């Protein structure tokens, strides 16, 4: 099974940015095969990675729903057809594949797309060494259980008490829903010059959250994003990128080693 890394947290905290940086890290270090999963209906992981996407899982829902007769091309069953379309949804990028959930057109619930996504990630989990999942903001995706098992979850927070409160709710919900999350770490992103305040550190301590590290607020990231340049193209010496990579060196690398040893 793929070693699965997922990102959760409040809106706009940097989940997609850090998910993109993680994909780039795994690929650059040649740690194994990688599937990047954009599980946010408002998908934008592809733009952080600089990849074009033609077709999403949400569109499969529309196709199947609109297929009233239940007759699929080439005499395929519905299940066969779903599988066939799923393979087509996989975007082959440089050193990794990308799967985008997307949103079903019009109104309607995401249950089907979520179901397809869960099945897809289950099925694909055996074909990759790593799965990196960028989730939508908030907590709902946790209760929808879009993935069965996560080895490492990063709760991404902005540098505010409210952000840490939200990260704590993620921790609580994982416990309440008994989700299969191996470990949860907090990352505080967009930390201003002065670093973390005493209040923030106290809040982290109060909630017994494990802080993986902090990522500084960085003008260059902001600038690249505003100019529509894929964030994975920021120079390696960029402060935010290099601080985040240190977190991955400290937290992710040793866990991958253990995971690989177990799998031998
Ligand atoms: N360390 C940083 N310094 C400066 N800007 C950053 C940093 N991290 C992320 N950003 C910017 O913050 C914005 C939000 O980031 P991002 O889209 O990754 O957040 P998100 O948590 O995925 O948002 P959403 O909840 O909408 O999916 C983006 O414009 C991104 O470029
Ligand atoms: Mg996002």
């Amino acid at each position: 099974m793929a070693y699965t890394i997922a990102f959760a947290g409040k809106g706009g905290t940097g989940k997609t940015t850090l998910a993109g940086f993680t994909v780039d890290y795994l690929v650059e270090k040649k740690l194994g095969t990688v599937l990047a999963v954009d599980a946010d209906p408002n998908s934008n992981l592809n733009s952080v990675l600089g990849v074009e996407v033609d077709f999403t899982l949400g569109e499969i829902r529309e196709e199947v729903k609109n297929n009233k007769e239940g007759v699929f091309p080439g005499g395929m069953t519905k299940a066969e057809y779903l599988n066939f379309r799923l393979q087509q949804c996989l975007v082959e990028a440089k050193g990794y594949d990308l799967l985008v959930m997307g949103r079903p057109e019009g109104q309607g619930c995401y249950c089907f797309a979520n179901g397809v996504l869960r099945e897809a990630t289950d099925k694909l989990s055996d074909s990759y060494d790593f799965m990196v999942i960028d989730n939508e903001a908030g907590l709902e995706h946790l209760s929808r259980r879009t993935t069965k098992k996560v080895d490492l979850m990063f709760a991404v927070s902005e540098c505010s008490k409210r952000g840490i409160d939200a990260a704590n709710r993620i921790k609580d919900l994982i416990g309440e829903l008994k989700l299969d999350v191996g470990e949860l770490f907090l990352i505080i992103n967009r930390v201003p010059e002065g670093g973390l305040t005493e209040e923030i550190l106290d809040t982290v301590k109060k909630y017994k959250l494990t802080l993986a590290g902090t990522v500084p607020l960085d003008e260059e990231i902001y600038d690249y994003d505003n100019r529509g340049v894929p964030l994975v193209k920021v120079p390696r010496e960029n402060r935010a990128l290099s601080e985040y990579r240190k977190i991955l060196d400290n937290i992710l690398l040793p866990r991958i080693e253990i995971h690989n040893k177990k799998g031998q």
Side-chain angles (χ1 to χ4, degrees):
M1 281 248 289
Y3 185 86
T4 303
I5 306 150
F7 292 81
K10 266 178 58 170
T13 50
K15 300 176 289 299
T16 306
T17 305
L18 301 186
F21 285 169
T22 309
V23 171
D24 189 48
Y25 177 93
L26 292 168
V27 171
E28 195 202 274
K29 290 198 175 294
K30 297 192 169 57
L31 291 166
T33 53
V34 179
L35 176 65
V37 180
D38 188 343
D40 185 348
N42 294 305
S43 33
N44 63 352
L45 179 60
N46 66 305
S47 51
V48 167
L49 292 167
V51 175
E52 291 285 331
V53 175
D54 307 319
F55 184 60
T56 68
L57 286 176
E59 288 163 57
I60 297 184
R61 174 192 185 267
E62 294 301 312
E63 281 179 11
V64 173
K65 200 179 78 180
N66 295 337
N67 191 330
K68 298 270 188 293
E69 294 89 41
V71 179
F72 295 95
M76 279 188 264
T77 62
K78 184 174 163 181
E80 282 166 346
Y81 182 72
L82 281 174
N83 201 28
F84 163 71
R85 291 301 263 163
L86 167 65
Q87 294 303 324
Q88 291 184 326
C89 269
L90 282 171
V91 184
E92 268 180 54
K94 253 194 183 158
Y96 63 93
D97 290 342
L98 171 67
L99 183 70
V100 179
M101 179 170 112
R103 61 162 77 239
E105 274 168 37
Q107 289 194 332
C109 82
Y110 294 140
C111 303
F112 185 88
N114 274 311
V116 174
L117 182 68
R118 196 180 316 120
E119 257 180 51
T121 49
D122 269 4
K123 205 177 288 173
L124 291 169
S125 177
D126 287 334
S127 313
Y128 294 89
D129 298 314
F130 297 98
M131 212 150 61
V132 178
I133 305 176
D134 176 27
N135 284 302
E136 68 182 301
L139 300 171
E140 235 193 278
H141 60 89
L142 290 174
S143 40
R144 283 197 253 108
R145 295 164 198 265
T146 29
T147 27
K148 266 198 189 149
K149 179 176 170 285
V150 171
D151 294 284
L152 182 61
M153 185 177 279
F154 287 123
V156 187
S157 170
E158 75 237 350
C159 192
S160 74
K161 187 184 165 299
R162 261 196 242 165
I164 314 290
D165 287 345
N168 185 52
R169 279 199 296 279
I170 290 172
K171 186 181 84 176
D172 286 348
L173 202 58
I174 289 171
E176 280 165 32
L177 297 171
K178 298 193 175 60
L179 297 181
D180 195 352
V181 174
E183 284 176 284
L184 176 77
F185 283 93
L186 170 69
I187 293 178
I188 306 181
N189 186 22
R190 287 206 302 252
V191 175
E193 274 304 308
L196 299 180
T197 60
E198 279 302 315
E199 285 81 11
I200 296 279
L201 284 169
D202 284 347
T203 311
V204 173
K205 215 168 169 188
K206 179 180 87 182
Y207 290 138
K208 297 193 174 67
L209 286 161
T210 316
L211 182 63
T214 61
V215 179
L217 177 72
D218 185 276
E219 282 290 324
E220 196 173 26
I221 300 268
Y222 189 71
D223 177 54
Y224 268 58
D225 207 28
N226 280 342
R227 287 191 290 124
V229 184
L231 288 176
V232 291
K233 295 219 164 116
V234 292
R236 285 285 170 262
E237 57 278 10
N238 171 276
R239 276 172 58 236
L241 178 61
S242 50
E243 285 306 310
Y244 180 60
R245 285 186 150 225
K246 275 188 212 158
I247 295 178
L248 296 181
D249 289 343
N250 292 334
I251 304 290
L252 181 60
L253 272 189
R255 283 165 178 80
I256 293 175
E257 266 172 40
I258 294 169
H259 177 79
N260 289 346
K261 271 194 194 130
K262 274 192 203 153
Q264 275 169 9

